[in-house]
Amino acid sequence: MSLKNIIGFWGFPHPEIIKQYKTRCPNAQWIDLDIDFGFANQNILPEAYCSIIKNIINNALHYKDRLIEILAPIGKDKCDSGLFAAEILKDMGFNIIKTTFEE
């Protein structure tokens, strides 16, 4: 099995995007990156920054070698910092799929 077998996400990506990835990558493990799994703080963001966004960054870095892509809600469904997290991770070389679901 390939080492790259995780789809990371946060918030609630658009259902059509989720459906596409479940079809395209049926054996992938899905990991909600905004949960605090207790991984090491990578000190990318300031200490006083939102803990949920810090979880996203820290978890993505922990799973970096196994992530296929990250489905990243960037609309008002996740706050402006969701967009900032997506841009930071994209700049770090992650495959980011920006999505919004505001219904």
Side-chain angles (χ1 to χ4, degrees):
M1 176 179 269
S2 170
L3 287 177
K4 288 184 158 255
N5 62 351
I6 294 174
I7 295 174
F9 69 96
W10 62 76
F12 192 74
H14 196 285
E16 282 301 314
I17 300 289
I18 293 171
K19 182 178 176 183
Q20 289 172 13
Y21 275 86
K22 286 193 176 212
T23 300
R24 191 172 127 201
C25 308
N27 297 320
Q29 179 181 1
W30 290 67
I31 295 186
D32 187 344
L33 297 174
D34 62 14
I35 294 174
D36 184 357
F37 295 114
F39 298 135
N41 184 354
Q42 301 296 319
N43 297 312
I44 302 297
L45 299 171
E47 194 58 38
Y49 206 78
C50 169
S51 63
I52 293 171
I53 301 301
K54 285 174 30 178
N55 289 341
I56 290 169
I57 301 292
N58 292 334
N59 291 337
L61 289 169
H62 178 81
Y63 289 112
K64 182 173 181 136
D65 294 334
R66 297 182 60 204
L67 283 164
I68 298 167
E69 288 183 293
I70 296 174
L71 307 183
I74 59 164
K76 55 188 170 183
D77 54 327
K78 190 57 181 174
C79 82
D80 289 337
S81 292
L83 172 61
F84 301 143
E87 291 298 322
I88 289 168
L89 292 171
K90 181 179 176 187
D91 288 348
M92 296 176 86
F94 288 89
N95 296 322
I96 302 295
I97 306 301
K98 294 177 183 173
T99 176
T100 58
F101 185 63
E102 298 177 355
E103 288 86 48

